[in-house]
Amino acid sequence: MAEYGRDCRAQPFMTSGHGSAQASAVLTAEGIGKRFGSGATAVTAIDEVTLSVKQGELISVIGPSGCGKSTLFNIIGGLITDYEGEVRIDGRRVSGCHPDIGMVFQEESTFPWRTALENVEFPLEVRGLPAAERRQRAQQFLGLVGLTEFADRYPGELSGGMKARTAIARTLAAHPKILLMDEPFGALDEQTRLLLGDRLSQIHRELGQTTLLITHSITEAVHLSDRVVVMSYRPGRIKRVVDVDLPRPRSSEIIESEQFGHLVASIWHDLREEASRGLAADEASRRSS
Amino acid sequence: MSRAAYLRLATLLLVWAAWEALARSGLVFQGVVPSSLTVLASAASELGSSNFYPHLWRSAEEIGVGFAIGSAAGVGLGTLMGVAVFLGRMAHPYIHVLAPTPKIIFLPVLMILFGVDIGSKIAMGAISAFFPVVVATYDSVRLVPPVLLRVARSFRASRWQTVVKVYFPSMLPAVVTGMRLGLGVAIIGTLLAEIKLSNRGLGFLAIQRYEGFHIPDLYAVLLIIFVLAVAANIAIGRVADRLQRRHVISRRTPSR
Ligand SMILES: Nc1ncnc2c1ncn2[C@@H]1O[C@H](COP(=O)(O)OP(=O)(O)O)[C@@H](O)[C@H]1O
Ligand SMILES: [Mg+2]
């Protein structure tokens, strides 16, 4: 209940000072750090993370599991409020959940008692839109993710990929300027993920939302992004930022290209060391527990 | 029909045949094990007599009102206990100790408090129904998936919107299951109270038939109570199943 006790409405965004980042950056994170616990068992989840995302840009954050990706996502989205550093939108410092940010969670997050359409209507209900308008807007976004036929199905009747798309449509329906996605296709197989990636790419082209995509898939990162942020393991820091200068529009067929292969190899080169440290740490913690 | 349904039907027929054989064998006194046909005839004459219905309505009223009060209190307190951590920690041990206690031991106190008439019967139904409902509600609050609460927060839902649109629907199937149990024990509690001390109701009717040694009539009343209880349980079960079906969350496996 502690989580829900921190009511987002209680803390609308605050303004402080001026934007220090470049003018075109819609979203900036400066010197973000977060520790969990205290004393000997304290874990520094992320440390000194600074990044800025330009208007309409799609940036991926990639790193081994446990490196603090979800922590960063929750801090930028305003669900974690005690952290070091600053999050800025259009140069203004924000705290708490901001209406300009839309979040898509890593876990399965559709409401099982609502149909796909009713799920997408949720944020519109919260805002008090009239029923007819709500329905129409929800149908539009469900169409955008290719689920028009499944509007009246409950999540229990949908596949994993369809549920992920429903969650994305729900967030898009709220019209956020900035889209944060935490491994939205994390539980899906590689082929499905590539096809849904194409869909996401197309949506990004149509809506032009500034997007921060968290992923553990190198292929997905290179396929979709303008830039890929590679994170280190414990503490989670930015290890390298890779510009993906592949032509757009892109489709998943781009994975056949030589340039794509080079980018994947280069990211894996950096990630490999971090991933093996993550694996070793995970095995060590299982041994001792 | 499924195989299990055939088995159930076969069991029923077997028990019935055994009963009939025993009744006709002359091994036991006819008055104790009457033929099922006699029992059915008695049941028909009970249902046909205008004397029967005031008893039926009285029991229905006691059970209905008691169940409604007990469920409402259970849902209310259970939700509060789940939402306010402090209250939950405080009340939880008491509830868990009292939940499995046979509620009939409170009957004398209830008669002192609410009178020997309908009041104590309603109170008996209410405290019987209360415990399964409060336990189910309390557990269900804490089983609301945290990610759904984070979704509500990220869309900046108010506290009230979060309770109505996330907590309640998520809790509903478990609470209805608790109410199903609650209805069962409310029926038991109310009828026990009627049997103990009353001048109206189905429990009273049964004990009256027993005291007059009208054994086929006694079985007839028991049969009617049994059928009504089963019908009530099936009705609430239908509601529960319908709610449950929507809530099936398929496990998160890699699939398309
Ligand atoms: N609420 C929490 N309490 C304590 N430790 C946490 C909590 N959330 C995350 N952590 C720890 O912080 C680290 C980063 O977690 P997370 O951000 O979920 O990583 P990722 O999403 O990259 O897998 C992990 O070591 C995890 O154990
Ligand atoms: Mg994560």
Side-chain angles (χ1 to χ4, degrees):
Chain A
M1 289 315 294
E3 216 179 10
Y4 146 66
R6 286 200 303 263
D7 186 11
C8 288
R9 287 207 167 163
Q11 338 166 299
F13 59 98
M14 308 181 305
T15 335
S16 86
H18 49 84
S20 57
Q22 57 270 60
S24 61
V26 176
L27 173 71
T28 55
E30 272 179 39
I32 304 290
K34 174 72 190 168
R35 283 164 73 82
F36 288 108
S38 58
T41 57
V43 172
T44 304
I46 50 173
D47 191 35
E48 280 295 322
V49 169
T50 295
L51 57 87
S52 72
V53 194
K54 290 189 281 250
Q55 171 64 45
E57 200 179 19
L58 197 157
I59 290 196
S60 289
V61 173
I62 191 168
S65 98
C67 78
K69 300 183 299 293
S70 294
T71 305
L72 181 65
F73 163 86
N74 284 316
I75 288 172
I76 296 175
L79 292 174
I80 292 177
T81 48
D82 54 329
Y83 59 91
E84 282 166 39
E86 285 180 3
V87 176
R88 293 168 181 276
I89 293 176
D90 292 329
R92 277 183 303 195
R93 186 169 179 183
V94 297
S95 95
C97 301
H98 192 281
D100 283 350
I101 291 187
M103 305 174 82
V104 177
F105 293 88
Q106 178 175 6
E107 302 94 327
E108 165 98 54
S109 71
T110 47
F111 298 114
W113 57 86
R114 285 172 171 250
T115 62
L117 189 71
E118 289 163 352
N119 260 284
V120 181
E121 283 185 56
F122 181 84
L124 311 175
E125 270 174 52
V126 167
R127 290 188 191 172
L129 253 70
E133 197 182 331
R134 226 159 57 200
R135 188 132 294 224
Q136 194 226 329
R137 182 131 50 119
Q139 264 154 355
Q140 176 198 336
F141 282 96
L142 218 44
L144 198 62
V145 298
L147 288 179
T148 304
E149 283 175 77
F150 299 94
D152 296 325
R153 300 288 187 89
Y154 287 95
E157 304 169 292
L158 299 176
S159 70
M162 290 171 172
K163 282 185 273 202
R165 281 187 277 167
T166 306
I168 292 172
R170 182 176 63 187
T171 301
L172 292 174
H175 272 327
K177 266 171 61 182
I178 300 162
L179 194 57
L180 302 181
M181 296 196 274
D182 191 0
E183 306 192 18
F185 308 133
L188 307 178
D189 63 74
E190 183 76 9
Q191 288 99 311
T192 309
R193 207 190 296 196
L194 279 168
L195 295 175
L196 293 186
D198 280 342
R199 174 77 72 170
L200 205 63
S201 213
Q202 189 190 334
I203 292 170
H204 182 244
R205 210 157 51 235
E206 280 174 34
L207 304 179
Q209 268 147 336
T210 307
T211 305
L212 187 67
L213 172 73
I214 286 166
T215 178
H216 58 239
S217 158
I218 307 177
T219 350
E220 188 168 274
V222 177
H223 170 198
L224 299 173
S225 321
D226 299 308
R227 284 189 288 157
V228 178
V229 175
V230 181
M231 284 188 68
S232 65
Y233 180 81
R234 290 265 173 98
R237 293 206 179 105
I238 293 181
K239 182 159 182 169
R240 189 157 80 104
V241 180
V242 181
D243 286 314
V244 180
D245 42 11
L246 297 169
R248 281 192 188 274
R250 291 176 207 157
S251 90
S252 48
E253 284 172 4
I254 198 142
I255 68 171
E256 297 162 16
S257 76
E258 200 180 329
Q259 210 181 347
F260 188 93
H262 284 313
L263 281 164
V264 169
S266 142
I267 292 172
W268 176 234
H269 179 80
D270 282 333
L271 211 49
R272 205 189 125 112
E273 184 195 338
E274 304 304 327
S276 34
R277 281 207 293 135
L279 192 63
D282 181 59
E283 284 173 5
S285 74
R286 278 167 209 277
R287 228 172 273 132
S288 63
S289 68
Chain B
M1 252 198 311
S2 70
R3 206 162 149 172
Y6 274 120
L7 270 172
R8 273 195 294 262
L9 190 65
T11 313
L12 189 68
L13 289 174
L14 206 68
V15 171
W16 190 17
W19 174 283
E20 222 24 57
L22 195 63
R24 284 160 194 252
S25 67
L27 289 173
V28 286
F29 179 44
Q30 280 276 313
V32 177
V33 183
S35 154
S36 56
L37 299 177
T38 321
V39 173
L40 285 177
S42 290
S45 85
E46 288 285 6
L47 293 171
S49 113
S50 60
N51 174 44
F52 173 77
Y53 291 92
H55 294 293
L56 176 63
W57 302 139
R58 169 58 81 97
S59 288
E61 184 185 354
E62 290 164 355
I63 292 165
V65 175
F67 173 66
I69 294 172
S71 300
V75 169
L77 187 68
T79 306
L80 272 179
M81 278 169 59
V83 173
V85 179
F86 167 74
L87 189 67
R89 291 226 181 101
M90 197 175 71
H92 180 251
Y94 298 107
I95 298 221
H96 265 247
V97 169
L98 285 173
T101 308
K103 306 304 166 313
I104 192 70
I105 63 169
F106 298 117
L107 183 61
V109 184
L110 297 179
M111 290 195 301
I112 294 168
L113 288 174
F114 301 105
V116 293
D117 207 23
I118 192 165
S120 56
K121 313 300 180 297
I122 290 176
M124 198 58 218
I127 57 168
S128 302
F130 171 77
F131 285 95
V133 175
V134 76
V135 168
T137 306
Y138 177 57
D139 289 345
S140 73
V141 177
R142 293 176 315 148
L143 288 177
V144 177
V147 68
L148 301 186
L149 299 175
R150 282 191 278 140
V151 169
R153 267 182 75 198
S154 82
F155 288 129
R156 295 156 40 94
S158 69
R159 188 175 284 251
W160 176 245
Q161 284 173 327
T162 307
V163 168
V164 173
K165 292 181 192 292
V166 183
Y167 275 98
F168 281 169
S170 175
M171 289 158 58
L172 200 58
V175 171
V176 171
T177 304
M179 288 172 79
R180 194 174 175 176
L181 291 171
L183 180 62
V185 291
I187 294 174
I188 296 169
T190 309
L191 293 184
L192 274 176
E194 284 178 356
I195 286 171
K196 208 68 210 154
L197 189 67
S198 69
N199 57 10
R200 233 188 287 168
L202 295 177
F204 164 73
L205 204 60
I207 209 69
Q208 200 190 32
R209 299 294 184 257
Y210 165 75
E211 279 164 357
F213 215 67
H214 302 295
I215 301 304
D217 293 349
L218 170 63
Y219 282 119
V221 174
L222 297 186
L223 185 66
I224 292 167
I225 292 173
F226 176 74
V227 169
L228 290 175
V230 168
N233 196 25
I234 287 175
I236 201 163
R238 283 263 162 86
V239 177
D241 286 348
R242 183 168 304 172
L243 294 169
Q244 219 96 42
R245 212 168 309 137
R246 289 186 180 184
H247 280 246
V248 181
I249 312 175
S250 55
R251 252 181 295 146
R252 203 168 189 244
T253 47
S255 67
R256 40 187 71 221

